[in-house]
Amino acid sequence: MAPVESLLVWTLAGLGVVVLLRRSRAASTILMAAALVATTAAGHALWSARSATRQRSADALAASLPQPTVEGGYVSSDACRACHPTEYATWHRSYHRTMTQPASARAVRAPFAGETLVAADGRSYR
């Protein structure tokens, strides 16, 4: 959870505790305020753990993907833009620009959920 989100969650929880305790100092109200704080703490811990897991997963994926390199005289497509703006624009609007990107949920647009694909040789893939 980002620091601003944490601050907002804990501020709202604190306001809830203040409102509850201003109304009454009965044992049940104090218990409700304590439950609110405990629930907020548990939710915050779970959210933070889930966010950390997602970040580690994203970092591992990024580390496993090919990275642009300038070794061996290779350059990225951005180097072409300055000298060949028309060709670059045509290429950028085409599917050729996206054909080498990693297959991710954002990049794959076909509905592959539960689909069975059959190859030309008759083999099925799921």
Side-chain angles (χ1 to χ4, degrees):
M1 188 177 286
V4 173
E5 292 169 337
S6 295
L7 179 63
L8 178 64
V9 167
W10 282 104
T11 300
L12 291 174
L15 287 173
V17 168
V18 168
V19 167
L20 284 172
L21 294 178
R22 279 191 166 207
R23 289 187 175 180
S24 170
R25 298 283 178 159
S28 61
T29 305
I30 293 172
L31 187 60
M32 282 178 38
L36 176 62
V37 169
T39 303
T40 302
H44 185 261
L46 288 172
W47 186 278
S48 294
R50 187 174 180 183
S51 294
T53 300
R54 283 184 176 170
Q55 186 61 48
R56 281 192 303 274
S57 178
D59 291 345
L61 175 62
S64 71
L65 297 175
Q67 301 298 314
T69 181
V70 293
E71 296 174 16
Y74 295 106
V75 296
S76 72
S77 59
D78 290 332
C80 303
R81 187 185 319 188
C83 297
H84 309 284
T86 304
E87 290 82 359
Y88 178 87
T90 302
W91 167 80
H92 197 266
R93 284 191 308 268
S94 74
Y95 287 110
H96 292 279
R97 174 179 57 94
T98 59
M99 71 180 194
T100 58
Q101 67 185 339
S104 65
R106 198 173 114 232
V108 177
R109 298 176 187 223
F112 290 120
E115 299 290 326
T116 301
L117 304 175
V118 180
D121 62 3
R123 286 190 281 175
S124 295
Y125 298 92
R126 183 164 200 160

Short mmCIF file of all heavy atoms in Angstrom, two decimals, residues 15-73:
data_model
loop_
_atom_site.label_atom_id
_atom_site.label_comp_id
_atom_site.label_asym_id
_atom_site.label_seq_id
_atom_site.Cartn_x
_atom_site.Cartn_y
_atom_site.Cartn_z
N LEU A 15 -10.63 8.55 12.71
CA LEU A 15 -11.86 9.34 12.81
C LEU A 15 -13.03 8.49 13.31
O LEU A 15 -13.85 8.95 14.12
CB LEU A 15 -12.21 9.97 11.46
CG LEU A 15 -11.34 11.13 11.02
CD1 LEU A 15 -11.67 11.53 9.59
CD2 LEU A 15 -11.51 12.31 11.96
N GLY A 16 -13.09 7.26 12.84
CA GLY A 16 -14.14 6.35 13.31
C GLY A 16 -14.03 6.09 14.80
O GLY A 16 -15.04 6.08 15.52
N VAL A 17 -12.81 5.90 15.28
CA VAL A 17 -12.60 5.68 16.72
C VAL A 17 -13.00 6.92 17.51
O VAL A 17 -13.68 6.84 18.54
CB VAL A 17 -11.12 5.30 16.99
CG1 VAL A 17 -10.81 5.35 18.47
CG2 VAL A 17 -10.83 3.92 16.42
N VAL A 18 -12.61 8.10 17.03
CA VAL A 18 -12.96 9.35 17.72
C VAL A 18 -14.47 9.52 17.80
O VAL A 18 -15.03 9.86 18.85
CB VAL A 18 -12.30 10.56 17.02
CG1 VAL A 18 -12.87 11.88 17.51
CG2 VAL A 18 -10.79 10.52 17.23
N VAL A 19 -15.16 9.27 16.68
CA VAL A 19 -16.62 9.41 16.66
C VAL A 19 -17.26 8.43 17.65
O VAL A 19 -18.16 8.80 18.41
CB VAL A 19 -17.18 9.18 15.23
CG1 VAL A 19 -18.68 9.00 15.24
CG2 VAL A 19 -16.78 10.35 14.33
N LEU A 20 -16.79 7.20 17.64
CA LEU A 20 -17.36 6.20 18.56
C LEU A 20 -17.12 6.59 20.02
O LEU A 20 -18.04 6.51 20.85
CB LEU A 20 -16.74 4.82 18.30
CG LEU A 20 -17.23 4.08 17.07
CD1 LEU A 20 -16.39 2.82 16.84
CD2 LEU A 20 -18.69 3.69 17.23
N LEU A 21 -15.93 7.01 20.36
CA LEU A 21 -15.61 7.31 21.75
C LEU A 21 -16.21 8.63 22.23
O LEU A 21 -16.40 8.82 23.43
CB LEU A 21 -14.10 7.29 21.96
CG LEU A 21 -13.45 5.91 21.79
CD1 LEU A 21 -11.94 6.00 21.98
CD2 LEU A 21 -14.05 4.89 22.74
N ARG A 22 -16.53 9.54 21.32
CA ARG A 22 -17.20 10.79 21.72
C ARG A 22 -18.64 10.52 22.11
O ARG A 22 -19.20 11.26 22.92
CB ARG A 22 -17.16 11.80 20.59
CG ARG A 22 -15.84 12.52 20.53
CD ARG A 22 -15.94 13.67 19.59
NE ARG A 22 -14.79 14.52 19.82
CZ ARG A 22 -14.76 15.79 19.59
NH1 ARG A 22 -15.82 16.39 19.13
NH2 ARG A 22 -13.69 16.49 19.82
N ARG A 23 -19.24 9.52 21.47
CA ARG A 23 -20.65 9.22 21.77
C ARG A 23 -20.81 8.55 23.12
O ARG A 23 -21.77 8.80 23.82
CB ARG A 23 -21.23 8.32 20.69
CG ARG A 23 -21.41 9.04 19.39
CD ARG A 23 -22.13 8.21 18.42
NE ARG A 23 -22.38 8.98 17.21
CZ ARG A 23 -23.00 8.53 16.16
NH1 ARG A 23 -23.46 7.30 16.16
NH2 ARG A 23 -23.18 9.29 15.11
N SER A 24 -19.88 7.66 23.43
CA SER A 24 -20.04 6.90 24.66
C SER A 24 -18.71 6.31 25.08
O SER A 24 -17.86 6.00 24.25
CB SER A 24 -21.06 5.78 24.43
OG SER A 24 -21.06 4.89 25.52
N ARG A 25 -18.54 6.14 26.37
CA ARG A 25 -17.35 5.48 26.91
C ARG A 25 -17.72 4.11 27.48
O ARG A 25 -16.98 3.53 28.26
CB ARG A 25 -16.72 6.32 28.02
CG ARG A 25 -16.24 7.67 27.60
CD ARG A 25 -14.95 7.57 26.86
NE ARG A 25 -14.54 8.92 26.44
CZ ARG A 25 -13.33 9.23 26.14
NH1 ARG A 25 -12.39 8.33 26.19
NH2 ARG A 25 -13.04 10.43 25.75
N ALA A 26 -18.86 3.60 27.05
CA ALA A 26 -19.30 2.29 27.53
C ALA A 26 -18.34 1.22 27.01
O ALA A 26 -17.66 1.39 26.00
CB ALA A 26 -20.71 2.00 27.04
N ALA A 27 -18.33 0.09 27.71
CA ALA A 27 -17.43 -1.01 27.35
C ALA A 27 -17.69 -1.49 25.92
O ALA A 27 -16.75 -1.81 25.17
CB ALA A 27 -17.57 -2.16 28.34
N SER A 28 -18.96 -1.53 25.52
CA SER A 28 -19.28 -2.01 24.17
C SER A 28 -18.74 -1.05 23.11
O SER A 28 -18.27 -1.48 22.06
CB SER A 28 -20.79 -2.20 24.01
OG SER A 28 -21.46 -0.96 24.19
N THR A 29 -18.77 0.24 23.37
CA THR A 29 -18.25 1.22 22.42
C THR A 29 -16.73 1.13 22.33
O THR A 29 -16.17 1.19 21.23
CB THR A 29 -18.66 2.65 22.84
OG1 THR A 29 -20.08 2.69 22.99
CG2 THR A 29 -18.23 3.67 21.81
N ILE A 30 -16.09 0.97 23.46
CA ILE A 30 -14.63 0.82 23.47
C ILE A 30 -14.24 -0.46 22.73
O ILE A 30 -13.28 -0.48 21.96
CB ILE A 30 -14.09 0.82 24.92
CG1 ILE A 30 -14.29 2.22 25.52
CG2 ILE A 30 -12.62 0.41 24.96
CD1 ILE A 30 -13.98 2.32 26.98
N LEU A 31 -15.04 -1.51 22.92
CA LEU A 31 -14.79 -2.77 22.21
C LEU A 31 -14.96 -2.59 20.71
O LEU A 31 -14.17 -3.11 19.92
CB LEU A 31 -15.73 -3.86 22.74
CG LEU A 31 -15.49 -5.27 22.24
CD1 LEU A 31 -14.09 -5.74 22.61
CD2 LEU A 31 -16.53 -6.21 22.80
N MET A 32 -15.98 -1.84 20.30
CA MET A 32 -16.18 -1.57 18.86
C MET A 32 -15.02 -0.77 18.29
O MET A 32 -14.56 -1.03 17.17
CB MET A 32 -17.50 -0.83 18.64
CG MET A 32 -18.71 -1.72 18.71
SD MET A 32 -20.31 -0.90 18.51
CE MET A 32 -20.04 0.32 17.30
N ALA A 33 -14.54 0.22 19.04
CA ALA A 33 -13.40 1.02 18.58
C ALA A 33 -12.16 0.16 18.45
O ALA A 33 -11.41 0.26 17.46
CB ALA A 33 -13.15 2.19 19.54
N ALA A 34 -11.94 -0.73 19.40
CA ALA A 34 -10.78 -1.63 19.34
C ALA A 34 -10.91 -2.58 18.15
O ALA A 34 -9.92 -2.88 17.47
CB ALA A 34 -10.66 -2.42 20.65
N ALA A 35 -12.12 -3.05 17.90
CA ALA A 35 -12.35 -3.94 16.76
C ALA A 35 -12.08 -3.21 15.45
O ALA A 35 -11.53 -3.78 14.50
CB ALA A 35 -13.77 -4.49 16.79
N LEU A 36 -12.48 -1.93 15.37
CA LEU A 36 -12.22 -1.13 14.18
C LEU A 36 -10.72 -1.00 13.94
O LEU A 36 -10.24 -1.17 12.81
CB LEU A 36 -12.87 0.25 14.31
CG LEU A 36 -12.61 1.23 13.18
CD1 LEU A 36 -13.18 0.70 11.87
CD2 LEU A 36 -13.23 2.58 13.51
N VAL A 37 -9.97 -0.72 14.98
CA VAL A 37 -8.51 -0.58 14.85
C VAL A 37 -7.89 -1.93 14.46
O VAL A 37 -7.03 -2.00 13.57
CB VAL A 37 -7.90 -0.04 16.16
CG1 VAL A 37 -6.37 -0.14 16.13
CG2 VAL A 37 -8.34 1.40 16.39
N ALA A 38 -8.33 -3.02 15.10
CA ALA A 38 -7.78 -4.34 14.80
C ALA A 38 -8.10 -4.76 13.36
O ALA A 38 -7.24 -5.30 12.65
CB ALA A 38 -8.32 -5.38 15.78
N THR A 39 -9.31 -4.50 12.92
CA THR A 39 -9.70 -4.84 11.55
C THR A 39 -8.90 -4.02 10.55
O THR A 39 -8.45 -4.53 9.52
CB THR A 39 -11.21 -4.60 11.34
OG1 THR A 39 -11.93 -5.36 12.31
CG2 THR A 39 -11.66 -4.99 9.96
N THR A 40 -8.71 -2.75 10.84
CA THR A 40 -7.91 -1.90 9.96
C THR A 40 -6.47 -2.39 9.89
O THR A 40 -5.89 -2.46 8.80
CB THR A 40 -7.96 -0.44 10.44
OG1 THR A 40 -9.31 0.00 10.47
CG2 THR A 40 -7.15 0.47 9.53
N ALA A 41 -5.91 -2.76 11.02
CA ALA A 41 -4.53 -3.26 11.05
C ALA A 41 -4.42 -4.57 10.27
O ALA A 41 -3.47 -4.76 9.48
CB ALA A 41 -4.08 -3.47 12.49
N ALA A 42 -5.37 -5.48 10.44
CA ALA A 42 -5.34 -6.75 9.72
C ALA A 42 -5.49 -6.52 8.22
O ALA A 42 -4.77 -7.12 7.40
CB ALA A 42 -6.44 -7.67 10.23
N GLY A 43 -6.42 -5.66 7.83
CA GLY A 43 -6.61 -5.36 6.42
C GLY A 43 -5.38 -4.72 5.81
O GLY A 43 -4.98 -5.05 4.69
N HIS A 44 -4.77 -3.82 6.55
CA HIS A 44 -3.56 -3.15 6.08
C HIS A 44 -2.43 -4.16 5.90
O HIS A 44 -1.71 -4.12 4.89
CB HIS A 44 -3.15 -2.05 7.07
CG HIS A 44 -1.99 -1.25 6.62
ND1 HIS A 44 -0.72 -1.48 7.07
CD2 HIS A 44 -1.88 -0.23 5.73
CE1 HIS A 44 0.11 -0.63 6.50
NE2 HIS A 44 -0.57 0.13 5.68
N ALA A 45 -2.28 -5.08 6.84
CA ALA A 45 -1.23 -6.10 6.75
C ALA A 45 -1.46 -7.00 5.54
O ALA A 45 -0.53 -7.31 4.79
CB ALA A 45 -1.17 -6.92 8.03
N LEU A 46 -2.71 -7.44 5.35
CA LEU A 46 -3.02 -8.30 4.21
C LEU A 46 -2.80 -7.57 2.89
O LEU A 46 -2.24 -8.12 1.93
CB LEU A 46 -4.46 -8.80 4.29
CG LEU A 46 -4.72 -9.85 5.37
CD1 LEU A 46 -6.22 -10.11 5.49
CD2 LEU A 46 -3.98 -11.13 5.07
N TRP A 47 -3.24 -6.33 2.80
CA TRP A 47 -3.07 -5.54 1.58
C TRP A 47 -1.59 -5.34 1.27
O TRP A 47 -1.17 -5.47 0.13
CB TRP A 47 -3.78 -4.19 1.75
CG TRP A 47 -3.77 -3.37 0.50
CD1 TRP A 47 -2.76 -2.57 0.04
CD2 TRP A 47 -4.79 -3.30 -0.48
NE1 TRP A 47 -3.11 -1.99 -1.15
CE2 TRP A 47 -4.36 -2.42 -1.49
CE3 TRP A 47 -6.05 -3.88 -0.59
CZ2 TRP A 47 -5.12 -2.12 -2.60
CZ3 TRP A 47 -6.82 -3.57 -1.70
CH2 TRP A 47 -6.36 -2.71 -2.68
N SER A 48 -0.81 -5.03 2.29
CA SER A 48 0.62 -4.81 2.09
C SER A 48 1.31 -6.09 1.63
O SER A 48 2.16 -6.06 0.74
CB SER A 48 1.27 -4.31 3.39
OG SER A 48 0.77 -3.04 3.71
N ALA A 49 0.94 -7.22 2.23
CA ALA A 49 1.54 -8.50 1.83
C ALA A 49 1.18 -8.84 0.39
O ALA A 49 2.03 -9.30 -0.38
CB ALA A 49 1.08 -9.61 2.77
N ARG A 50 -0.07 -8.62 0.03
CA ARG A 50 -0.51 -8.90 -1.34
C ARG A 50 0.20 -7.98 -2.34
O ARG A 50 0.62 -8.42 -3.40
CB ARG A 50 -2.01 -8.73 -1.43
CG ARG A 50 -2.59 -9.16 -2.74
CD ARG A 50 -4.09 -9.11 -2.70
NE ARG A 50 -4.63 -9.54 -3.98
CZ ARG A 50 -5.89 -9.55 -4.27
NH1 ARG A 50 -6.78 -9.18 -3.38
NH2 ARG A 50 -6.31 -9.94 -5.45
N SER A 51 0.34 -6.72 -1.99
CA SER A 51 1.04 -5.77 -2.86
C SER A 51 2.50 -6.16 -3.04
O SER A 51 3.05 -6.09 -4.14
CB SER A 51 0.95 -4.36 -2.30
OG SER A 51 -0.37 -3.91 -2.31
N ALA A 52 3.13 -6.59 -1.96
CA ALA A 52 4.54 -7.00 -2.02
C ALA A 52 4.69 -8.24 -2.90
O ALA A 52 5.63 -8.34 -3.70
CB ALA A 52 5.08 -7.27 -0.62
N THR A 53 3.75 -9.19 -2.79
CA THR A 53 3.79 -10.39 -3.61
C THR A 53 3.62 -10.04 -5.08
O THR A 53 4.34 -10.57 -5.94
CB THR A 53 2.69 -11.38 -3.17
OG1 THR A 53 2.92 -11.73 -1.81
CG2 THR A 53 2.69 -12.63 -4.02
N ARG A 54 2.69 -9.17 -5.38
CA ARG A 54 2.49 -8.73 -6.76
C ARG A 54 3.73 -8.03 -7.31
O ARG A 54 4.11 -8.23 -8.46
CB ARG A 54 1.29 -7.80 -6.87
CG ARG A 54 -0.02 -8.51 -6.82
CD ARG A 54 -1.15 -7.55 -7.03
NE ARG A 54 -2.41 -8.26 -7.06
CZ ARG A 54 -3.58 -7.68 -7.05
NH1 ARG A 54 -3.67 -6.37 -7.03
NH2 ARG A 54 -4.69 -8.39 -7.08
N GLN A 55 4.36 -7.21 -6.50
CA GLN A 55 5.56 -6.49 -6.95
C GLN A 55 6.70 -7.46 -7.21
O GLN A 55 7.41 -7.33 -8.21
CB GLN A 55 5.98 -5.44 -5.92
CG GLN A 55 7.13 -4.57 -6.39
CD GLN A 55 6.78 -3.79 -7.64
OE1 GLN A 55 5.74 -3.16 -7.74
NE2 GLN A 55 7.66 -3.83 -8.65
N ARG A 56 6.88 -8.46 -6.32
CA ARG A 56 7.93 -9.45 -6.54
C ARG A 56 7.66 -10.24 -7.82
O ARG A 56 8.58 -10.52 -8.60
CB ARG A 56 8.03 -10.40 -5.35
CG ARG A 56 8.78 -9.83 -4.17
CD ARG A 56 9.10 -10.88 -3.13
NE ARG A 56 7.94 -11.57 -2.62
CZ ARG A 56 7.18 -11.16 -1.61
NH1 ARG A 56 7.47 -10.03 -1.01
NH2 ARG A 56 6.15 -11.86 -1.21
N SER A 57 6.40 -10.58 -8.06
CA SER A 57 6.03 -11.30 -9.27
C SER A 57 6.31 -10.46 -10.51
O SER A 57 6.85 -10.96 -11.51
CB SER A 57 4.55 -11.69 -9.20
OG SER A 57 4.16 -12.34 -10.37
N ALA A 58 5.94 -9.19 -10.48
CA ALA A 58 6.19 -8.29 -11.61
C ALA A 58 7.69 -8.11 -11.84
O ALA A 58 8.16 -8.09 -12.99
CB ALA A 58 5.53 -6.94 -11.37
N ASP A 59 8.47 -8.01 -10.77
CA ASP A 59 9.92 -7.87 -10.89
C ASP A 59 10.55 -9.13 -11.49
O ASP A 59 11.45 -9.04 -12.33
CB ASP A 59 10.56 -7.57 -9.54
CG ASP A 59 10.21 -6.19 -9.01
OD1 ASP A 59 9.71 -5.34 -9.80
OD2 ASP A 59 10.41 -5.95 -7.80
N ALA A 60 10.06 -10.31 -11.07
CA ALA A 60 10.59 -11.57 -11.60
C ALA A 60 10.26 -11.69 -13.09
O ALA A 60 11.10 -12.13 -13.88
CB ALA A 60 10.01 -12.75 -10.83
N LEU A 61 9.05 -11.30 -13.47
CA LEU A 61 8.68 -11.34 -14.88
C LEU A 61 9.54 -10.40 -15.69
O LEU A 61 10.06 -10.76 -16.74
CB LEU A 61 7.20 -10.99 -15.05
CG LEU A 61 6.71 -10.90 -16.50
CD1 LEU A 61 6.86 -12.24 -17.20
CD2 LEU A 61 5.27 -10.42 -16.54
N ALA A 62 9.72 -9.18 -15.21
CA ALA A 62 10.53 -8.20 -15.93
C ALA A 62 11.97 -8.68 -16.08
O ALA A 62 12.59 -8.47 -17.12
CB ALA A 62 10.50 -6.85 -15.21
N ALA A 63 12.48 -9.35 -15.05
CA ALA A 63 13.86 -9.85 -15.13
C ALA A 63 14.00 -10.99 -16.13
O ALA A 63 15.08 -11.20 -16.69
CB ALA A 63 14.32 -10.32 -13.75
N SER A 64 12.92 -11.72 -16.38
CA SER A 64 12.99 -12.86 -17.29
C SER A 64 12.76 -12.48 -18.75
O SER A 64 12.97 -13.29 -19.64
CB SER A 64 11.97 -13.92 -16.87
OG SER A 64 10.65 -13.48 -17.16
N LEU A 65 12.34 -11.25 -19.01
CA LEU A 65 12.05 -10.82 -20.37
C LEU A 65 13.29 -10.26 -21.05
O LEU A 65 14.17 -9.71 -20.39
CB LEU A 65 10.95 -9.75 -20.36
CG LEU A 65 9.61 -10.18 -19.83
CD1 LEU A 65 8.66 -9.00 -19.76
CD2 LEU A 65 9.01 -11.29 -20.67
N PRO A 66 13.36 -10.38 -22.36
CA PRO A 66 14.49 -9.78 -23.07
C PRO A 66 14.49 -8.26 -22.88
O PRO A 66 13.44 -7.63 -22.86
CB PRO A 66 14.22 -10.12 -24.53
CG PRO A 66 13.15 -11.14 -24.54
CD PRO A 66 12.42 -11.05 -23.24
N GLN A 67 15.66 -7.71 -22.76
CA GLN A 67 15.81 -6.27 -22.56
C GLN A 67 16.46 -5.65 -23.79
O GLN A 67 17.30 -6.29 -24.43
CB GLN A 67 16.66 -5.99 -21.32
CG GLN A 67 16.11 -6.57 -20.04
CD GLN A 67 14.75 -6.00 -19.69
OE1 GLN A 67 14.55 -4.81 -19.75
NE2 GLN A 67 13.82 -6.86 -19.31
N PRO A 68 16.11 -4.42 -24.11
CA PRO A 68 16.78 -3.74 -25.23
C PRO A 68 18.28 -3.64 -24.94
O PRO A 68 18.68 -3.45 -23.81
CB PRO A 68 16.14 -2.34 -25.25
CG PRO A 68 14.87 -2.48 -24.48
CD PRO A 68 15.08 -3.60 -23.50
N THR A 69 19.05 -3.76 -25.97
CA THR A 69 20.50 -3.72 -25.80
C THR A 69 21.13 -2.87 -26.90
O THR A 69 20.57 -2.74 -27.98
CB THR A 69 21.10 -5.13 -25.81
OG1 THR A 69 22.50 -5.03 -25.62
CG2 THR A 69 20.82 -5.86 -27.11
N VAL A 70 22.25 -2.29 -26.59
CA VAL A 70 23.01 -1.54 -27.60
C VAL A 70 24.31 -2.27 -27.93
O VAL A 70 25.11 -1.78 -28.70
CB VAL A 70 23.30 -0.10 -27.13
CG1 VAL A 70 22.01 0.68 -27.03
CG2 VAL A 70 24.04 -0.08 -25.81
N GLU A 71 24.50 -3.45 -27.33
CA GLU A 71 25.70 -4.24 -27.61
C GLU A 71 25.66 -4.72 -29.06
O GLU A 71 24.61 -5.03 -29.60
CB GLU A 71 25.78 -5.43 -26.67
CG GLU A 71 25.94 -5.02 -25.22
CD GLU A 71 25.86 -6.23 -24.29
OE1 GLU A 71 25.97 -7.37 -24.77
OE2 GLU A 71 25.67 -6.01 -23.09
N GLY A 72 26.80 -4.79 -29.68
CA GLY A 72 26.89 -5.30 -31.04
C GLY A 72 26.33 -4.35 -32.07
O GLY A 72 26.04 -4.75 -33.20
N GLY A 73 26.13 -3.10 -31.71
CA GLY A 73 25.65 -2.13 -32.67
C GLY A 73 24.14 -2.09 -32.85
O GLY A 73 23.63 -1.37 -33.69
#
